[in-house]
Amino acid sequence: MSGPPYEFVDHTGDIRFVARGATMAELFENAAKALYASIAAPEGVRPLEERPIVARADDRELLLVYWLSECQKAFDLDRLLLCEFRVDEISDTHVKGVARGEPYDPARHEFKSEIKAVTFCGLYVKETPDGWEAAVVCDV
């Protein structure tokens, strides 16, 4: 894989990022890291609590949206900031893994954005000569 694991790209009114990985599993892990870097600065977030993350879908693009949406639920429902992601099983229609993080503490964590939803706008997941790449837009 060449380049950073993810990078943010200018997008009017929303957050757009491109994630990369040597494998599809690593791509999903890096996309989740980008999602959480959109919510809060990742520095200082500790992997104290573990959360299983599972998603199923009809294709890779939908699977990535569902995976990220499941990851996002940890913050939306429990105010848990995730910082580590591990995909244990993945196919074109199923992903299973574990995420770790800690409760959001406004005194310690730099909040950035409230993510309303992971969208289908400009979404793609593709294999490249260097591995895998995906583009994602999050509604804020």
Side-chain angles (χ1 to χ4, degrees), residues 51-72:
R51 185 72 51 102
I53 309 287
V54 177
R56 293 184 188 280
D58 293 335
D59 60 47
R60 290 178 190 154
E61 285 80 11
L62 193 56
L63 186 64
L64 180 60
V65 169
Y66 287 178
W67 162 259
L68 293 174
S69 297
E70 287 298 315
C71 290
Q72 180 187 345

Side-chain angles (χ1 to χ4, degrees), residues 19-37:
R20 296 175 186 85
T23 63
M24 196 164 80
E26 185 177 59
L27 168 69
F28 276 54
E29 293 165 356
N30 290 337
K33 289 176 186 175
L35 175 75
Y36 269 86

